[in-house]
């Protein structure tokens, strides 16, 4: 049995882009992440130590994004994907980041990346 953690619409601000204005003014971004891991029996028995701590993952994302500077959305998404995928039990991760108002006539521009881990123990 697999558990799926979904972090939905995590709204942060960061420096993203390579134009002068983008380099000097933080922009809003919206992060969505999906993290799959095998559910241990201890979770069904309410054992906290057997669960993946989504608060720890989210804090690491926030710290990295808010303290960073990124030229490309691809780099930012890859970094967040790697943070979500760090735990040894994670078998699949997908991250999508939206950059609202990046284009004049669009609500946002987004980029998604995903990764399958062959085995949780290989990390």
């Amino acid at each position: 049995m697999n558990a799926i953690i979904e972090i939905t619409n995590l709204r942060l601000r960061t420096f993203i882009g390579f134009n002068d204005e983008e380099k000097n003014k933080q922009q809003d971004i919206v992060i969505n992440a999906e993290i799959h891991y095998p559910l241990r029996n201890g979770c069904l028995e309410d054992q906290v130590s057997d669960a993946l701590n989504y608060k720890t993952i989210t804090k690491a994302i926030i710290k990295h994004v808010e303290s960073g500077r990124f030229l490309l959305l691809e780099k930012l998404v890859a970094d967040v994907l790697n943070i979500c995928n760090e735990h040894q039990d994670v078998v699949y991760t997908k991250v999508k980041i939206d950059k609202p108002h990046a284009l004049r006539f669009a609500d946002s521009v987004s980029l998604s990346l995903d990764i399958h881990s062959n085995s949780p123990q290989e990390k």
Side-chain angles (χ1 to χ4, degrees):
M1 185 178 339
N2 279 327
I4 302 170
I5 294 173
E6 294 184 48
I7 300 169
T8 307
N9 295 334
L10 178 61
R11 299 174 195 282
L12 302 174
R13 294 183 60 79
T14 194
F15 293 97
I16 178 79
F18 48 86
N19 298 326
D20 287 339
E21 183 179 345
E22 294 172 319
K23 288 181 179 181
N24 296 312
K25 183 180 176 188
Q26 286 189 324
Q27 297 179 63
D28 295 326
I29 60 164
V30 181
I31 300 172
N32 287 280
E34 181 178 313
I35 305 164
H36 296 223
Y37 69 100
L39 188 65
R40 294 183 177 160
N41 287 335
C43 293
L44 300 176
E45 296 169 4
D46 224 11
Q47 298 297 317
V48 174
S49 60
D50 282 347
L52 194 61
N53 190 332
Y54 55 82
K55 188 173 183 179
T56 301
I57 296 168
T58 304
K59 282 183 175 185
I61 292 170
I62 292 168
K63 180 179 179 184
H64 183 76
V65 170
E66 290 186 339
S67 66
R69 290 182 172 266
F70 309 92
L71 297 177
L72 297 173
L73 194 52
E74 288 84 348
K75 169 67 171 150
L76 176 58
V77 176
D79 286 357
V80 173
L81 183 75
N82 287 331
I83 291 168
C84 292
N85 200 50
E86 282 178 350
H87 193 278
Q88 65 184 12
D89 289 340
V90 173
V91 294
Y92 173 79
T93 305
K94 180 177 181 180
V95 171
K96 176 184 172 189
I97 299 182
D98 285 89
K99 189 175 167 184
H101 316 296
L103 295 174
R104 185 174 175 193
F105 297 110
D107 291 338
S108 72
V109 171
S110 65
L111 182 84
S112 299
L113 293 173
D114 69 347
I115 188 168
H116 291 268
S117 300
N118 294 333
S119 165
Q121 307 310 321
E122 290 181 8
K123 293 185 182 185

